[in-house]
Amino acid sequence: MAIKRLFVANRGEIALRIVRAAQALGIETVVAVSDADRGSAAAALADRSIVLGPAAAAKSYLDPRLIVHAAKESGCDGLHPGYGFLSERAILPISCAEHGIAFVGPEAAVIDALGDKLRARAMARDAGVPLVPGSEGIASAADARREGDRIGYPVLLKASAGGGGRGMVIANNGDDAEAGFHRASAEAVAAFGDGRLFMERFVPEARHVEVQLMGDGKGQVLHFGERDCSVQRRYQKLVEEAPCAAMPDHLRKQLHASAIALAASVNYRNAGTAEFLFDVKRQEFYFIEVNARIQVEHPVSEMISGFDLVQEQIRIAGGAGLSVTQDQVKLSGHAIECRINAEDVARDFLPTPGRITRWQPPEGEGIRLDSHMSEGALIPPFYDSMIGKLIVHADTRGAAIERLAAALDEFRIEGIPTTIDLHRAIVAHPDFIENRIHTRWLEQVLLPERAARAA
C-alpha cells in the first residue's frame, strides 16, 4: 500500500531532500525537529513539524521510542530515517513494524546482520565476493600479533561493529599489533559498546570504491553504478566521484556483479551501498562492508543515472517494488561531489558553528547544491558540521573537474570558516586532476603541502 504521509526522522540537508522527494510523489510530510531546528528549512517546507525535545541528539533524534510515537501520533504511515542517527539501528524498523508504519529501508534482521562486519564478511564469502585477506575475530593482543605475523604487515585492526574510522588502527609490526589491539578495542567499546575486532591486510595506496544498490526485498537487486570515495581524512569522505575512472571496465562489471550477488543473497530491500577496497597495483577489489541506508554521496549516482534514488526508496517502502530494470539504468558522464563543512581547516578541522552572513551559491548547467542553509541561517553546535554538498556533472571527468573548480570559485560563504578553500586546492592539485589519488593522499600529500606553505 502506497505511503500517504511520511515522517522524516532526520535533520539538515537530508531531511530537506526527503521532504522534496516525498512531495514530488504527492505524499504529505511531517518532519521531526529538536528545539535547535525549529526554524530549519525542512520544517518550513514540510506540511508539519513536530518538536521531539531539546537540542541534545540523545533526547531527540536518537530516541527511537520517541520518534515512532511522534510518527504514529501525527498519522504517518511511513518513516524515512535518512542517514546517520538511527538509520542503521534495527530497533527503528522493529518499532515501526509494531505500529504499522512502513520503514524506508532494509528489514531489521538484514540491518543487524550487515551492521556486524564479521557477519557481513561471512555473508560476502558465502556469496562468492572477494574479501580482503585477513582474519576472523581477534580476542587478545597475542591473537593480534599472531594473525599480523601470518597475514603480513602492515595490517588494519577494525571494530566488528564499527564505522566512520572509529576502532580502526594500523599496525606495522607485532608490537604495533598488540598495542593497537588495546587501543582499537577501547575505542570500539566507547563508540559502539562492542569491543570485538578483526584484522585485514592494509593496502597503503588503495581506492575506496562503492556500488549504489536498490533491492525489492525479493531477491531482485539493481545497481546505479559505482563511486570513488578516495579523498578522505581520518576515514571520513570529503570528495566523491562517479564512476571510478581508475577502474577498467572488466573489473567494473565484476564489481557490480559482486555487489548485487551479496545483496540478492539476503533479499535486500531498499537502498544500500556495498563498499570495496580497490588495490590499483594488484588490480583486485575486496569487500569492506554494506551500509544499509541511503548515503551522503548518493547525488553523484543520481547525476550519472538520471534517477531519483530517494523517490525510489519511498516507492519500494510503500510496496511498489522496483520501478525500473537494470537495462533501463543508463549511466552517462562523470559527477563529482564536495562535502562543504563548517570547519576551520587551519585549526585541525575544528567545527565552527555560528551564523552565516553571506550565502551565495553557484548556479548553472550541470551544477547541483544539496543544502539546508541560507543567508542568515544559524549553524548549531550540536550536530554534524556538514552544511551542504556541491555536485557537478559533465560529459567527462576533465570537464567535471573544470566545472567544479569554477563552481567552487563562485561559492561565497561568510560569517564562519568552511572547507571551500580546501576543496579548491584539491581540485586544482595535479594528483587529483591526473587521478593519482588514494585513501591516504589527502593526509600524506595535500595537507602536508599546505602546512609547509603556511609555515
Side-chain angles (χ1 to χ4, degrees):
M1 186 174 179
I3 293 171
K4 295 180 180 179
R5 182 177 296 167
L6 183 69
F7 193 81
V8 183
N10 215 297
R11 65 174 305 277
E13 63 84 20
I14 190 58
L16 185 61
R17 171 80 180 85
I18 295 165
V19 169
R20 286 173 172 160
Q23 291 180 345
L25 294 172
I27 298 171
E28 293 182 19
T29 53
V30 179
V31 169
V33 296
S34 70
D35 277 335
D37 288 330
R38 285 175 179 266
S40 69
L45 184 62
D47 296 285
R48 181 184 173 189
S49 63
I50 292 182
V51 179
L52 295 173
K59 297 183 179 180
S60 53
Y61 300 111
L62 288 173
D63 187 331
R65 289 189 296 178
L66 178 61
I67 286 172
V68 175
H69 174 75
K72 186 69 175 177
E73 290 301 305
S74 59
C76 290
D77 55 352
L79 184 149
H80 199 309
Y83 53 70
F85 291 134
L86 296 173
S87 61
E88 291 183 277
R89 292 276 301 278
I91 184 62
L92 201 53
I94 289 172
S95 297
C96 283
E98 291 172 349
H99 291 85
I101 298 171
F103 178 73
V104 184
E107 295 178 348
V110 173
I111 291 176
D112 260 347
L114 295 174
D116 185 315
K117 288 184 171 59
L118 282 173
R119 290 177 65 187
R121 277 174 61 90
M123 293 161 64
R125 183 185 299 108
D126 291 342
V129 178
L131 296 175
V132 183
S135 74
E136 299 308 316
I138 302 292
S140 66
D143 278 352
R145 177 184 286 271
R146 182 169 54 254
E147 289 300 316
D149 291 344
R150 179 184 65 80
I151 296 166
Y153 298 100
V155 294
L156 185 64
L157 286 153
K158 300 177 72 173
S160 177
R166 291 168 293 182
M168 295 176 66
V169 175
I170 298 169
N172 293 303
N173 53 52
D175 290 343
D176 283 355
E178 290 192 357
F181 171 84
H182 296 296
R183 176 183 161 195
S185 182
E187 285 182 3
V189 169
F192 314 111
D194 184 345
R196 290 176 303 142
L197 305 176
F198 66 101
M199 184 179 286
E200 292 178 343
R201 181 172 70 194
F202 180 69
V203 182
E205 295 187 0
R207 307 289 281 248
H208 183 124
V209 183
E210 58 190 34
V211 181
Q212 176 65 59
L213 301 169
M214 193 74 69
D216 66 357
K218 301 175 182 177
Q220 293 296 314
V221 180
L222 305 182
H223 77 80
F224 291 80
E226 82 285 349
R227 301 184 287 253
D228 187 337
C229 309
S230 299
V231 179
Q232 302 179 6
R233 174 182 174 268
R234 297 179 182 174
Y235 304 105
Q236 298 293 316
K237 304 165 188 171
L238 276 73
V239 178
E240 299 100 355
E241 305 183 49
C244 174
M247 180 169 280
D249 284 341
H250 74 280
L251 280 183
R252 191 188 321 278
K253 292 177 182 177
Q254 293 175 28
L255 180 80
H256 297 164
S258 292
I260 288 173
L262 174 57
S265 71
V266 295
N267 291 326
Y268 193 91
R269 184 188 70 194
N270 220 270
T273 301
E275 303 200 353
F276 297 84
L277 199 65
F278 177 35
D279 189 332
V280 179
K281 290 183 178 179
R282 290 186 174 93
Q283 288 291 285
E284 296 175 348
F285 62 84
Y286 316 112
F287 171 76
I288 302 175
E289 63 181 337
V290 173
N291 284 299
R293 53 175 166 78
I294 197 74
Q295 294 268 88
V296 175
E297 58 271 23
H298 76 272
V300 291
S301 297
E302 293 184 326
M303 297 293 268
I304 66 168
S305 69
F307 285 94
D308 188 312
L309 296 174
V310 178
Q311 287 187 24
E312 191 74 8
Q313 279 192 288
I314 297 169
R315 281 192 289 261
I316 291 171
L322 293 165
S323 68
V324 295
T325 64
Q326 190 66 69
D327 290 342
Q328 293 174 306
V329 180
K330 307 294 184 182
L331 307 178
S332 64
H334 196 92
I336 310 176
E337 173 182 296
C338 289
R339 301 191 189 191
I340 308 300
N341 296 338
E343 295 173 353
D344 190 339
V345 176
R347 299 175 65 191
D348 197 29
F349 292 79
L350 181 73
T352 54
R355 192 172 298 280
I356 294 176
T357 57
R358 184 183 182 190
W359 179 264
Q360 184 179 318
E363 297 179 347
E365 181 183 358
I367 297 174
R368 166 178 168 177
L369 180 67
D370 283 18
S371 177
H372 56 300
M373 290 289 110
S374 60
E375 197 160 296
L378 182 65
I379 303 168
F382 313 108
Y383 314 110
D384 183 84
S385 59
M386 189 174 73
I387 57 174
K389 303 180 303 195
L390 176 61
I391 310 105
V392 300
H393 180 261
D395 291 337
T396 65
R397 184 175 187 269
I401 290 174
E402 291 179 3
R403 180 163 287 168
L404 179 58
L408 287 165
D409 284 342
E410 293 176 20
F411 210 156
R412 295 287 181 271
I413 302 176
E414 295 177 4
I416 47 101
T418 73
T419 54
I420 286 181
D421 282 342
L422 175 63
H423 285 298
R424 289 174 181 147
I426 291 170
V427 300
H429 198 285
D431 286 351
F432 185 81
I433 294 170
E434 296 170 22
N435 207 15
R436 297 194 302 259
I437 57 174
H438 51 82
T439 55
R440 304 182 77 198
W441 171 80
L442 187 78
E443 294 170 304
Q444 292 183 339
V445 179
L446 181 64
L447 293 180
E449 287 179 357
R450 286 169 61 86
R453 284 195 296 270

